[in-house]
Amino acid sequence: MNPSPITFLKGHGTENDFVIVPDPDNAVDLPATAVARLCDRRAGIGGDGLLHVVRSAAHPEARDMAGDAEWFMDYRNGDGSVAEMCGNGVRVFAHYLQHAGLVGAGDLAVATRGGVKRVHLDKQGDVTVSMGRALLPEDGVTVTVAGRSWSARNVNMGNPHAVAFVDDLAHAGNLFSVPAFTPAAVYPDGVNIEFVVDRGPRHVAMRVYERGVGETRSCGTGACAVAVAAARRDGADPALTGAPVTYTVDVLGGTLVITERPDGEIEMTGPAVIVAEGTIDPSLL
Ligand SMILES: N[C@@H](CCC[C@H](N)C(=O)O)C(=O)O
């Protein structure tokens, strides 16, 4: 039984929006059904996902990170499923900690299921996250929408992505349901699928179908996956040249700037905002 009332906030990063539930002591029970109800845009608060804000020491999945990061981002997709990582979510999470007076401007660490992420909050409101390295398995993947097929790059940013370069973002169709991908065995736990077009030198635009959500207006891990896939397609590999490579990635909800460093570390910079605060009717949970 949950205590009442339960505070929530609503925030977004490039319009990837989240219900934020501050719960330092991990006292709020949030089964998948409750998360899905809260994220429902008609009967709930509405969001692509939910950020459960818990002290690392109070969460069984984060206790071993408590020495490095005081706060754990217990991220859930809008359908209630758990994902390894959420790039826009980390920016919004860090911005919330600052908004709540729990951290100051500057640098902090956030524990996630994908490990501890270093975050920098700048004075203009932009947030930069060190997202870790991309893994690039060599599997051949094909994505199909409405009779058109593309070979896609498999990129793992802690969570799985298939990046398809297309001629026109409209070719992704309405994205009301998950695009077909083969072989299914490459992604046994499902996948986030990005459709990408070129906008200029080291500048691309994307749409995304997110696992556990549907089409969203932005995906931070997706933008990182796209930047790395675009760099390799363009013959750029910072590990070989010793020079960082930066891509501007336009999403439907704004723009993210992604830099891959020679050691493989990927940095993502973009905005994060809080738009509302309130209390949750306990009957939703
Ligand atoms: N929107 C997120 C990604 C959230 C997780 C994803 N839907 C998954 O299931 O892997 C981002 O900004 O990275």
Side-chain angles (χ1 to χ4, degrees):
M1 189 64 172
N2 279 300
S4 62
I6 295 163
T7 302
F8 79 92
L9 298 90
K10 178 77 192 284
H12 73 88
T14 51
E15 298 180 3
N16 195 191
D17 62 339
F18 307 99
V19 177
I20 303 164
V21 179
D23 180 23
D25 301 325
N26 199 20
V28 178
D29 189 25
L30 282 173
T33 47
V35 172
R37 274 198 293 268
L38 290 171
C39 291
D40 188 302
R41 295 189 184 282
R42 293 181 180 82
I45 295 161
D48 294 327
L50 181 143
L51 306 174
H52 184 206
V53 184
V54 186
R55 273 188 213 287
S56 302
H59 199 289
E61 290 180 76
R63 238 165 241 144
D64 60 344
M65 294 182 270
D68 296 317
E70 181 178 0
W71 295 96
F72 173 53
M73 179 180 78
D74 174 17
Y75 170 78
R76 318 289 183 84
N77 283 321
D79 70 353
S81 59
V82 170
E84 304 86 338
M85 185 51 194
C86 178
N88 289 323
V90 181
R91 293 203 321 281
V92 173
F93 187 96
H95 178 70
Y96 160 73
L97 294 177
Q98 185 181 32
H99 170 93
L102 297 166
V103 301
D107 298 320
L108 74 143
V110 174
T112 75
R113 291 191 175 83
V116 173
K117 305 296 176 195
R118 310 273 154 198
V119 180
H120 178 76
L121 294 151
D122 78 16
K123 293 200 169 64
Q124 285 68 46
D126 269 350
V127 186
T128 298
V129 187
S130 294
M131 297 284 289
R133 294 157 185 260
L135 298 177
L136 295 159
E138 289 297 329
D139 314 284
V141 180
T142 301
V143 170
T144 302
V145 175
R148 280 195 180 91
S149 292
W150 303 271
S151 49
R153 184 92 203 220
N154 182 0
V155 185
N156 192 294
M157 285 300 309
N159 59 349
H161 295 268
V163 179
F165 292 92
V166 302
D167 293 331
D168 186 333
L169 289 180
H171 291 166
N174 59 29
L175 291 181
F176 290 164
S177 58
V178 61
F181 57 91
T182 53
V186 172
Y187 298 110
D189 301 318
V191 63
N192 302 285
I193 301 177
E194 287 81 23
F195 299 89
V196 188
V197 292
D198 287 300
R199 282 269 165 91
R202 296 199 175 168
H203 183 183
V204 294
M206 62 175 257
R207 286 174 66 195
V208 59
Y209 187 95
E210 278 195 46
R211 177 179 68 166
V213 191
E215 182 173 24
T216 61
R217 295 186 60 78
S218 179
C219 176
T221 49
C224 294
V226 162
V228 174
R232 296 303 179 277
R233 180 204 59 172
D234 296 344
D237 187 342
L240 300 180
T241 60
V245 173
T246 297
Y247 276 76
T248 300
V249 181
D250 295 341
V251 291
L252 297 179
T255 297
L256 294 164
V257 177
I258 315 293
T259 297
E260 187 184 9
R261 307 225 163 262
D263 65 0
E265 185 67 40
I266 296 167
E267 287 175 1
M268 173 183 59
T269 300
V273 290
I274 303 288
V275 297
E277 314 195 22
T279 51
I280 298 169
D281 181 334
S283 69
L284 266 179
L285 297 171

